Amino acid sequence: VVVNSEIIVNPVFSDSARQEQMVWVEKDLKGHKKLCTIAYWHHPRFSSGWHGSDRKLVPMWQLLYDNDVDLVLGGHDHDYERFLPMTPAGLADTTKGITEIVAGTGGEELRGFNSAVANSAYRIEGRAGVLLLTLGAAEYRSAFIEIGGRVWDQSGGKCH
């Protein structure tokens, strides 16, 4: 599921535009039940990076959480960070929680981290690279591949 996080975080957009997107996402999630579901957008809900976590994404995270989404991918902060599965409030939840990966390492100036946010499982700063993501029928696998081929943070999880 692709979400336009700019509609959520930028005050230039109206509440009705935000609500319209929420309705569309909910309809899409309910109409296309899959064992493994991923959402992606630009602004991270949770981040230890320069921009930090964005609480404006809580309602969308709640919608995704209520509909058993497994993984959220984001960027915006120019670093790599993977979080343990969490609730919309940022509490660890190994049963229903959503894992978030921030992979903003593909071209702009790389930045360091502020203080680590709760449940941050792995952080990489100052390394350009890509996220390799493999989706299976009942699980997903991920790894950060640095330019030059070094593999970092091989991880994954079972789908809800």
Side-chain angles (χ1 to χ4, degrees):
V1 177
V2 181
V3 175
N4 183 348
S5 62
E6 195 67 34
I7 290 173
I8 299 169
V9 304
N10 191 328
V12 72
F13 290 96
S14 67
D15 288 340
S16 63
R18 283 185 275 286
Q19 185 59 32
E20 183 179 322
Q21 180 171 237
M22 293 282 288
V23 168
W24 178 87
V25 170
E26 183 172 26
K27 182 179 176 184
D28 188 63
L29 288 170
K30 290 187 182 314
H32 298 94
K33 284 291 185 191
K34 302 291 181 191
L35 185 57
C36 206
T37 304
I38 295 173
Y40 68 95
W41 57 49
H42 183 71
H43 302 85
R45 164 65 188 100
F46 304 100
S47 175
S48 303
W50 190 76
H51 292 290
S53 302
D54 199 323
R55 292 205 44 81
K56 293 176 190 150
L57 293 160
V58 170
M60 182 60 74
W61 195 279
Q62 184 69 57
L63 178 62
L64 300 176
Y65 183 84
D66 291 344
N67 285 278
D68 298 319
V69 169
D70 300 286
L71 179 65
V72 170
L73 306 177
H76 197 51
D77 271 324
H78 300 172
D79 53 45
Y80 172 89
E81 186 170 21
R82 180 177 51 81
F83 288 87
L84 300 175
M86 291 190 287
T87 68
L91 302 173
D93 180 351
T94 58
T95 304
K96 189 174 169 65
I98 303 171
T99 298
E100 181 186 49
I101 299 175
V102 178
T105 57
E108 290 293 328
E109 177 183 342
L110 300 172
R111 297 188 184 120
F113 291 101
N114 296 317
S115 297
V117 171
N119 300 308
S120 176
Y122 201 97
R123 293 176 301 283
I124 301 170
E125 62 184 17
R127 306 279 182 182
V130 297
L131 176 67
L132 173 66
L133 187 60
T134 305
L135 303 175
E139 67 181 15
Y140 61 91
R141 307 289 313 153
S142 66
F144 178 77
I145 313 287
E146 183 183 357
I147 291 177
R150 181 174 175 189
V151 179
W152 301 65
D153 192 34
Q154 296 183 63
S155 184
K158 298 215 179 286
C159 299
H160 296 118

